[in-house]
Amino acid sequence: MTARLQMSADTSKKCVVLGVTGGIAAYKACEILRLLQKRGIDVYVVMTRNACSFVAPLTFETLSGHPVAVDTFERPATWEVEHIALAKRADLFLIAPATANILAKMACGIADDMLSTTVLATRAPVMVAPAMNTGMWDNSATQQNLRTLQARGVHVVAPANGRLACGDSGAGKLEDVCVIVDRAMEVLCEQQDMKGLRVMVTAGPTREPLDPVRYISNRSSGKMGYAIAAAAQRRGAEVTLLTGPVSLDAPAGVKTIPFTTTQDLLDRALEHAADQDILIQAAAPADYRAKTIADQKIKKQSGAELVFEMVENPDVAATLGRDKRPDQLFIGFAAETQHVQENAQGKLIKKNLDMIVANDVTAPGAGFDVDTNIVTIISREEIRQLPLMSKADVADRILDEALILKQKLAVRS
Ligand code: PMT
């Protein structure tokens, strides 16, 4: 079924690898292919075996002008080369229609056919346009898989409501093909304005042990830092994410390095800071740690007070700020509960930052463990207050400001 892929296409054109899975909407993928071609896009098609029951690969081969990839195992001598070549060739990997099955495989990293193998291998942005029965769409497993994929940066074109082929009515109908193609073009044309920049982001809490089973920590979920890492990666930066213990999936294409304590974070940060163009410290490191860590689990002593002596932790931001190069841009956060602007400005100076993002962590919808934030971006020259917005949007606004400041630094240094 799979002919050898011809990779001799016009390389000046953007390339979409179009994944087609087995659903009644598979025929609409022909129209998507045509619309993409009209916009000057070169399209390669990868089909699942089930998709071939709905539309013959020959249809896609004829429309695309390229062989269609279906089976990884038919020609064992070449399949590995083919799926990697396709994965590398993609400027965007679009799966439309995407069944519940492919979403589940992607969420789990399963690679058991040509499509799932190729999408796992790609570093290109990935977009899915699901189409399925309403019950399957509503199923919490499918919704959980979608959330997992979205958290990894996969773009989702949600299905429309309507009458489905199975006779049911509700959500699950493949979104209008023009809408899918418009969204694909938006991602393809998205500005890669951070290409060539190396960005280190820190995220999440630290844990300072008290004994083998207990620790002191805080409410940071890592969402703010992860959103910044994902946005910088999407905009073309090479991103290193230092992460505390959180329950988030690492954004695709980001190098992730774990830390536990504040000292640990400092050690990891010092290993990597010198290579970076931009440092963004969104983590919430503990300012204090226990003076001594008990070797054994501390036993309950009824009626007696338990007192821990705490000692000061190193200030990671202040250490990095002291040693930073003049061309490096350093951004910190300030988690405040009062005198937000004033306290943040103090930290900007004390830690030798170029910019600080202040959040009032007591405001509803802001700060710890929520998907939104309300921030004030403070540089040495400007103060910009932003309204309540998603952490993803806050991340982009921080990066917009960072690029302006970085240019100014480049001129001065
Ligand atoms: O993770 P989320 O749930 O999404 O929540 C996001 C957030 C509230 C954690 C984030 O928006 C935020 O405000 N991060 C900074 C938390 C913090 O430690 O703030 P601070 O004001 O105590 O510290 C000021 C700056 O110094 C911060 O950049 C901090 O990372 C850094 N710091 C603090 C202490 C320390 N020992 N070393 C440091 O480097």
Side-chain angles (χ1 to χ4, degrees):
M1 183 77 71
T2 49
R4 180 177 291 280
L5 292 173
Q6 294 156 355
M7 305 312 257
S8 56
D10 178 356
T11 49
S12 64
K13 282 185 172 183
K14 293 261 187 193
C15 170
V16 169
V17 174
L18 177 60
V20 184
T21 62
I24 190 69
Y27 75 95
K28 294 187 182 172
C30 300
E31 189 58 18
I32 292 173
L33 187 159
R34 274 301 201 203
L35 289 170
L36 285 168
Q37 284 176 328
K38 278 190 187 161
R39 310 260 192 121
I41 307 296
D42 199 11
V43 183
Y44 284 80
V45 176
V46 188
M47 299 176 76
T48 61
R49 280 244 161 256
N50 286 344
C52 300
S53 305
F54 291 91
V55 184
L58 184 61
T59 307
F60 287 111
E61 281 185 6
T62 310
L63 291 175
S64 69
H66 300 297
V68 168
V70 177
D71 200 322
T72 43
F73 301 105
E74 273 186 346
R75 288 172 303 111
T78 56
W79 71 267
E80 199 167 355
V81 177
E82 286 184 1
H83 87 264
I84 297 295
L86 262 181
K88 283 188 180 159
R89 176 140 185 75
D91 294 302
L92 171 68
F93 206 115
L94 168 64
I95 304 183
T99 55
N101 187 48
I102 189 71
L103 299 177
K105 283 191 199 177
M106 287 166 71
C108 297
I110 293 172
D112 63 354
D113 63 6
M114 186 65 163
L115 178 57
S116 52
T117 307
T118 313
V119 74
L120 189 66
T122 196
R123 290 186 193 279
V126 176
M127 177 177 283
V128 292
M132 64 195 75
N133 162 271
T134 305
M136 293 169 84
W137 172 253
D138 287 339
N139 191 295
S140 54
T142 304
Q143 292 302 316
Q144 179 63 49
N145 289 333
L146 274 166
R147 280 194 292 276
T148 300
L149 294 174
Q150 278 177 308
R152 287 185 202 147
V154 171
H155 303 268
V156 177
V157 185
N161 278 295
R163 193 166 164 73
L164 307 176
C166 58
D168 288 357
S169 283
K173 196 172 146 64
L174 186 75
E175 179 54 285
D176 187 287
V177 289
C178 294
V179 174
I180 295 171
V181 170
D182 281 348
R183 290 281 304 279
M185 292 307 295
E186 276 171 25
V187 174
L188 275 172
C189 300
E190 199 162 46
Q191 239 186 336
Q192 293 275 291
D193 56 1
M194 299 192 78
K195 218 175 177 68
L197 289 175
R198 278 176 293 196
V199 179
M200 183 175 90
V201 183
T202 71
T206 54
R207 286 180 182 171
E208 301 296 340
L210 298 171
D211 70 10
V213 298
R214 301 184 181 93
Y215 54 79
I216 294 175
S217 190
N218 60 62
R219 291 175 43 224
S220 172
S221 64
K223 287 180 180 177
M224 190 65 251
Y226 273 56
I228 297 169
Q233 197 277 340
R234 182 172 39 77
R235 290 167 70 156
E238 193 184 312
V239 182
T240 303
L241 173 64
L242 305 194
T243 176
V246 298
S247 52
L248 299 173
D249 288 316
V254 164
K255 180 176 173 186
T256 308
I257 298 166
F259 63 80
T260 307
T261 63
T262 297
Q263 182 62 51
D264 203 10
L265 167 60
L266 177 62
D267 294 343
R268 300 289 88 75
L270 288 174
E271 275 167 32
H272 296 276
D275 299 333
Q276 309 299 324
D277 300 296
I278 301 178
L279 309 161
I280 306 178
Q281 173 88 335
D287 285 323
Y288 294 91
R289 66 179 186 280
K291 188 170 182 185
T292 49
I293 302 167
D295 290 339
Q296 304 300 327
K297 184 180 169 195
I298 299 165
K299 294 285 176 213
K300 182 174 163 185
Q301 310 260 338
S302 278
E305 278 183 1
L306 181 63
V307 178
F308 289 104
E309 206 176 335
M310 308 295 284
V311 291
E312 202 178 339
N313 263 332
D315 190 314
V316 181
T319 310
L320 298 179
R322 198 182 52 225
D323 297 340
K324 87 179 177 80
R325 294 192 311 270
D327 65 306
Q328 274 183 320
L329 183 77
F330 191 15
I331 301 171
F333 270 74
E336 304 298 340
T337 55
Q338 58 180 344
H339 313 302
V340 177
Q341 202 165 301
E342 196 184 318
N343 289 345
Q345 279 171 316
K347 288 175 184 174
L348 176 81
I349 305 298
K350 200 168 149 215
K351 298 180 192 237
N352 194 25
L353 304 168
D354 300 293
M355 188 168 114
I356 193 155
V357 182
N359 38 196
D360 177 349
V361 292
T362 60
F368 294 103
D369 203 15
V370 284
D371 293 321
T372 51
N373 210 351
I374 308 167
V375 303
T376 305
I377 298 179
I378 304 171
S379 69
R380 303 210 175 212
E381 290 155 17
E382 260 190 301
I383 296 178
R384 207 179 286 270
Q385 263 178 332
L386 301 182
L388 175 82
M389 50 174 79
S390 70
K391 282 185 175 165
D393 286 340
V394 170
D396 270 317
R397 294 296 292 271
I398 292 169
L399 295 178
D400 290 345
E401 296 292 331
L403 285 181
I404 296 170
L405 275 186
K406 183 81 183 74
Q407 261 180 350
K408 287 186 185 165
L409 283 190
V411 171
R412 278 186 220 139
S413 57

